[in-house]
PDB file of all heavy atoms in Angstrom:
ATOM      1  N   TYR A   9      97.007  82.503 138.154  1.00 98.00           N
ATOM      2  CA  TYR A   9      97.343  83.731 138.813  1.00 98.00           C
ATOM      3  C   TYR A   9      96.327  84.022 139.919  1.00 98.00           C
ATOM      4  O   TYR A   9      95.248  83.485 139.974  1.00 98.00           O
ATOM      5  CB  TYR A   9      97.345  84.865 137.763  1.00 98.00           C
ATOM      6  CG  TYR A   9      98.161  86.088 138.232  1.00 98.00           C
ATOM      7  CD1 TYR A   9      99.545  85.944 138.385  1.00 98.00           C
ATOM      8  CD2 TYR A   9      97.564  87.297 138.509  1.00 98.00           C
ATOM      9  CE1 TYR A   9     100.272  87.029 138.821  1.00 98.00           C
ATOM     10  CE2 TYR A   9      98.322  88.384 138.921  1.00 98.00           C
ATOM     11  CZ  TYR A   9      99.703  88.245 139.052  1.00 98.00           C
ATOM     12  OH  TYR A   9     100.443  89.316 139.519  1.00 98.00           O
ATOM     13  N   MET A  10      96.709  84.951 140.819  1.00 98.00           N
ATOM     14  CA  MET A  10      95.762  85.460 141.861  1.00 98.00           C
ATOM     15  C   MET A  10      94.491  85.928 141.100  1.00 98.00           C
ATOM     16  O   MET A  10      94.599  86.638 140.086  1.00 98.00           O
ATOM     17  CB  MET A  10      96.333  86.663 142.601  1.00 98.00           C
ATOM     18  CG  MET A  10      97.518  86.335 143.434  1.00 98.00           C
ATOM     19  SD  MET A  10      98.210  87.878 144.158  1.00 98.00           S
ATOM     20  CE  MET A  10      99.180  88.432 142.802  1.00 98.00           C
ATOM     21  N   LYS A  14      90.576  80.089 141.567  1.00 98.00           N
ATOM     22  CA  LYS A  14      90.991  78.736 142.032  1.00 98.00           C
ATOM     23  C   LYS A  14      90.145  78.321 143.261  1.00 98.00           C
ATOM     24  O   LYS A  14      89.684  77.177 143.346  1.00 98.00           O
ATOM     25  CB  LYS A  14      92.482  78.749 142.395  1.00 98.00           C
ATOM     26  CG  LYS A  14      93.409  79.142 141.237  1.00 98.00           C
ATOM     27  CD  LYS A  14      94.871  79.190 141.644  1.00 98.00           C
ATOM     28  CE  LYS A  14      95.269  80.209 142.657  1.00 98.00           C
ATOM     29  NZ  LYS A  14      95.442  81.578 142.253  1.00 98.00           N
ATOM     30  N   ASP A  33      96.778  78.242 150.733  1.00 98.00           N
ATOM     31  CA  ASP A  33      97.010  79.356 151.589  1.00 98.00           C
ATOM     32  C   ASP A  33      96.383  79.230 152.954  1.00 98.00           C
ATOM     33  O   ASP A  33      96.965  79.549 153.982  1.00 98.00           O
ATOM     34  CB  ASP A  33      96.461  80.679 150.967  1.00 98.00           C
ATOM     35  CG  ASP A  33      97.372  81.187 149.846  1.00 98.00           C
ATOM     36  OD1 ASP A  33      98.578  80.831 149.826  1.00 98.00           O
ATOM     37  OD2 ASP A  33      96.892  81.907 148.989  1.00 98.00           O
ATOM     38  N   ILE A  44      98.998  84.833 155.812  1.00 97.00           N
ATOM     39  CA  ILE A  44     100.000  84.884 154.748  1.00 97.00           C
ATOM     40  C   ILE A  44     100.782  86.216 154.813  1.00 97.00           C
ATOM     41  O   ILE A  44     102.021  86.263 154.733  1.00 97.00           O
ATOM     42  CB  ILE A  44      99.391  84.690 153.340  1.00 97.00           C
ATOM     43  CG1 ILE A  44      98.668  83.351 153.211  1.00 97.00           C
ATOM     44  CG2 ILE A  44     100.432  84.871 152.215  1.00 97.00           C
ATOM     45  CD1 ILE A  44      99.471  82.073 153.350  1.00 97.00           C
ATOM     46  N   PHE A  48     104.868  86.727 155.295  1.00 97.00           N
ATOM     47  CA  PHE A  48     105.667  87.603 154.393  1.00 97.00           C
ATOM     48  C   PHE A  48     106.453  88.596 155.212  1.00 97.00           C
ATOM     49  O   PHE A  48     107.637  88.892 154.961  1.00 97.00           O
ATOM     50  CB  PHE A  48     104.775  88.326 153.400  1.00 97.00           C
ATOM     51  CG  PHE A  48     104.701  87.603 152.032  1.00 97.00           C
ATOM     52  CD1 PHE A  48     103.909  86.483 151.876  1.00 97.00           C
ATOM     53  CD2 PHE A  48     105.388  88.067 150.932  1.00 97.00           C
ATOM     54  CE1 PHE A  48     103.797  85.819 150.618  1.00 97.00           C
ATOM     55  CE2 PHE A  48     105.296  87.431 149.690  1.00 97.00           C
ATOM     56  CZ  PHE A  48     104.485  86.341 149.575  1.00 97.00           C
ATOM     57  N   PHE A  56     108.560  82.506 152.760  1.00 98.00           N
ATOM     58  CA  PHE A  56     107.199  82.049 152.443  1.00 98.00           C
ATOM     59  C   PHE A  56     107.255  80.926 151.452  1.00 98.00           C
ATOM     60  O   PHE A  56     106.533  79.901 151.557  1.00 98.00           O
ATOM     61  CB  PHE A  56     106.350  83.198 151.960  1.00 98.00           C
ATOM     62  CG  PHE A  56     105.049  82.716 151.403  1.00 98.00           C
ATOM     63  CD1 PHE A  56     104.005  82.291 152.280  1.00 98.00           C
ATOM     64  CD2 PHE A  56     104.787  82.671 150.017  1.00 98.00           C
ATOM     65  CE1 PHE A  56     102.795  81.809 151.717  1.00 98.00           C
ATOM     66  CE2 PHE A  56     103.574  82.253 149.542  1.00 98.00           C
ATOM     67  CZ  PHE A  56     102.552  81.783 150.341  1.00 98.00           C
ATOM     68  N   ARG A  57     108.098  81.065 150.408  1.00 98.00           N
ATOM     69  CA  ARG A  57     108.129  80.060 149.322  1.00 98.00           C
ATOM     70  C   ARG A  57     108.597  78.677 149.854  1.00 98.00           C
ATOM     71  O   ARG A  57     108.183  77.658 149.386  1.00 98.00           O
ATOM     72  CB  ARG A  57     109.011  80.496 148.191  1.00 98.00           C
ATOM     73  CG  ARG A  57     108.514  81.711 147.464  1.00 98.00           C
ATOM     74  CD  ARG A  57     107.103  81.601 146.934  1.00 98.00           C
ATOM     75  NE  ARG A  57     106.565  82.835 146.408  1.00 98.00           N
ATOM     76  CZ  ARG A  57     105.296  83.047 146.051  1.00 98.00           C
ATOM     77  NH1 ARG A  57     104.420  82.070 146.244  1.00 98.00           N
ATOM     78  NH2 ARG A  57     104.889  84.209 145.592  1.00 98.00           N
ATOM     79  N   GLU A  60     105.692  77.283 151.709  1.00 98.00           N
ATOM     80  CA  GLU A  60     104.727  76.903 150.668  1.00 98.00           C
ATOM     81  C   GLU A  60     105.043  75.535 150.060  1.00 98.00           C
ATOM     82  O   GLU A  60     104.176  74.663 149.912  1.00 98.00           O
ATOM     83  CB  GLU A  60     104.624  78.001 149.623  1.00 98.00           C
ATOM     84  CG  GLU A  60     103.597  77.821 148.561  1.00 98.00           C
ATOM     85  CD  GLU A  60     103.562  78.945 147.507  1.00 98.00           C
ATOM     86  OE1 GLU A  60     104.654  79.318 147.033  1.00 98.00           O
ATOM     87  OE2 GLU A  60     102.503  79.459 147.215  1.00 98.00           O
ATOM     88  N   THR A  77      96.060  75.954 144.557  1.00 98.00           N
ATOM     89  CA  THR A  77      97.395  76.414 144.929  1.00 98.00           C
ATOM     90  C   THR A  77      97.391  77.934 145.014  1.00 98.00           C
ATOM     91  O   THR A  77      96.411  78.600 144.633  1.00 98.00           O
ATOM     92  CB  THR A  77      98.374  75.954 143.828  1.00 98.00           C
ATOM     93  OG1 THR A  77      97.966  76.546 142.607  1.00 98.00           O
ATOM     94  CG2 THR A  77      98.381  74.418 143.697  1.00 98.00           C
ATOM     95  N   GLY A  78      98.473  78.505 145.473  1.00 98.00           N
ATOM     96  CA  GLY A  78      98.627  79.967 145.481  1.00 98.00           C
ATOM     97  C   GLY A  78      99.099  80.396 144.056  1.00 98.00           C
ATOM     98  O   GLY A  78      99.656  79.566 143.323  1.00 98.00           O
ATOM     99  N   GLY A  79      98.866  81.644 143.770  1.00 98.00           N
ATOM    100  CA  GLY A  79      99.263  82.133 142.380  1.00 98.00           C
ATOM    101  C   GLY A  79     100.751  81.942 142.108  1.00 98.00           C
ATOM    102  O   GLY A  79     101.101  81.811 140.933  1.00 98.00           O
ATOM    103  N   GLY A  80     101.572  81.933 143.124  1.00 98.00           N
ATOM    104  CA  GLY A  80     103.006  81.822 142.887  1.00 98.00           C
ATOM    105  C   GLY A  80     103.531  80.420 143.049  1.00 98.00           C
ATOM    106  O   GLY A  80     104.692  80.127 142.620  1.00 98.00           O
ATOM    107  N   ARG A 118      96.706  90.275 150.006  1.00 95.00           N
ATOM    108  CA  ARG A 118      97.700  89.718 149.102  1.00 95.00           C
ATOM    109  C   ARG A 118      98.956  90.546 149.137  1.00 95.00           C
ATOM    110  O   ARG A 118      98.999  91.586 148.438  1.00 95.00           O
ATOM    111  CB  ARG A 118      97.106  89.555 147.712  1.00 95.00           C
ATOM    112  CG  ARG A 118      95.996  88.527 147.640  1.00 95.00           C
ATOM    113  CD  ARG A 118      95.336  88.507 146.280  1.00 95.00           C
ATOM    114  NE  ARG A 118      94.641  87.272 145.985  1.00 95.00           N
ATOM    115  CZ  ARG A 118      93.372  87.205 145.729  1.00 95.00           C
ATOM    116  NH1 ARG A 118      92.615  88.276 145.696  1.00 95.00           N
ATOM    117  NH2 ARG A 118      92.811  86.043 145.433  1.00 95.00           N
ATOM    118  N   PRO A 119      99.937  90.152 149.909  1.00 95.00           N
ATOM    119  CA  PRO A 119     101.103  91.006 150.160  1.00 95.00           C
ATOM    120  C   PRO A 119     101.804  91.512 148.879  1.00 95.00           C
ATOM    121  O   PRO A 119     102.332  92.586 148.851  1.00 95.00           O
ATOM    122  CB  PRO A 119     102.045  90.186 150.988  1.00 95.00           C
ATOM    123  CG  PRO A 119     101.392  88.848 151.170  1.00 95.00           C
ATOM    124  CD  PRO A 119     100.020  88.887 150.663  1.00 95.00           C
ATOM    125  N   ILE A 120     101.779  90.698 147.818  1.00 95.00           N
ATOM    126  CA  ILE A 120     102.588  91.138 146.688  1.00 95.00           C
ATOM    127  C   ILE A 120     101.872  92.228 145.854  1.00 95.00           C
ATOM    128  O   ILE A 120     102.500  92.841 144.987  1.00 95.00           O
ATOM    129  CB  ILE A 120     103.111  90.010 145.740  1.00 95.00           C
ATOM    130  CG1 ILE A 120     102.025  89.276 145.041  1.00 95.00           C
ATOM    131  CG2 ILE A 120     103.997  89.014 146.516  1.00 95.00           C
ATOM    132  CD1 ILE A 120     102.613  88.384 143.917  1.00 95.00           C
ATOM    133  N   ARG A 140     105.098  84.473 134.677  1.00 98.00           N
ATOM    134  CA  ARG A 140     104.633  83.205 135.261  1.00 98.00           C
ATOM    135  C   ARG A 140     104.013  82.277 134.238  1.00 98.00           C
ATOM    136  O   ARG A 140     103.964  81.050 134.480  1.00 98.00           O
ATOM    137  CB  ARG A 140     103.584  83.537 136.368  1.00 98.00           C
ATOM    138  CG  ARG A 140     104.257  84.142 137.571  1.00 98.00           C
ATOM    139  CD  ARG A 140     103.244  84.470 138.649  1.00 98.00           C
ATOM    140  NE  ARG A 140     103.901  84.834 139.896  1.00 98.00           N
ATOM    141  CZ  ARG A 140     103.206  85.003 141.030  1.00 98.00           C
ATOM    142  NH1 ARG A 140     101.897  84.839 141.027  1.00 98.00           N
ATOM    143  NH2 ARG A 140     103.859  85.326 142.116  1.00 98.00           N
TER     144      ARG A 140
HETATM  145  C1  LIG B 201     100.640  84.808 145.814  1.00 55.25           C
HETATM  146  C2  LIG B 201      99.346  84.448 145.699  1.00 55.25           C
HETATM  147  C3  LIG B 201      98.471  84.203 146.897  1.00 55.25           C
HETATM  148  C4  LIG B 201      99.350  83.825 148.107  1.00 55.25           C
HETATM  149  C5  LIG B 201     100.436  84.788 148.339  1.00 55.25           C
HETATM  150  C6  LIG B 201     101.379  84.976 147.105  1.00 55.25           C
HETATM  151  C7  LIG B 201     101.376  85.068 144.524  1.00 55.25           C
HETATM  152  O1  LIG B 201      97.514  83.173 146.633  1.00 55.25           O
HETATM  153  O2  LIG B 201      99.876  82.526 147.965  1.00 55.25           O
HETATM  154  O3  LIG B 201      99.841  86.042 148.667  1.00 55.25           O
HETATM  155  O4  LIG B 201     102.627  85.137 144.612  1.00 55.25           O
HETATM  156  O5  LIG B 201     100.683  85.126 143.454  1.00 55.25           O
HETATM  157  P1  LIG B 201      96.199  83.382 145.702  1.00 55.25           P
HETATM  158  O6  LIG B 201      96.555  83.120 144.288  1.00 55.25           O
HETATM  159  O7  LIG B 201      95.251  82.351 146.239  1.00 55.25           O
HETATM  160  O8  LIG B 201      95.705  84.766 145.946  1.00 55.25           O
END
Side-chain angles (χ1 to χ4, degrees):
Y9 202 66
M10 294 174 278
K14 302 178 296 279
D33 284 337
I44 301 296
F48 264 76
F56 171 73
R57 295 305 173 190
E60 183 178 49
T77 61
R118 291 175 159 120
I120 68 166
R140 289 178 170 189

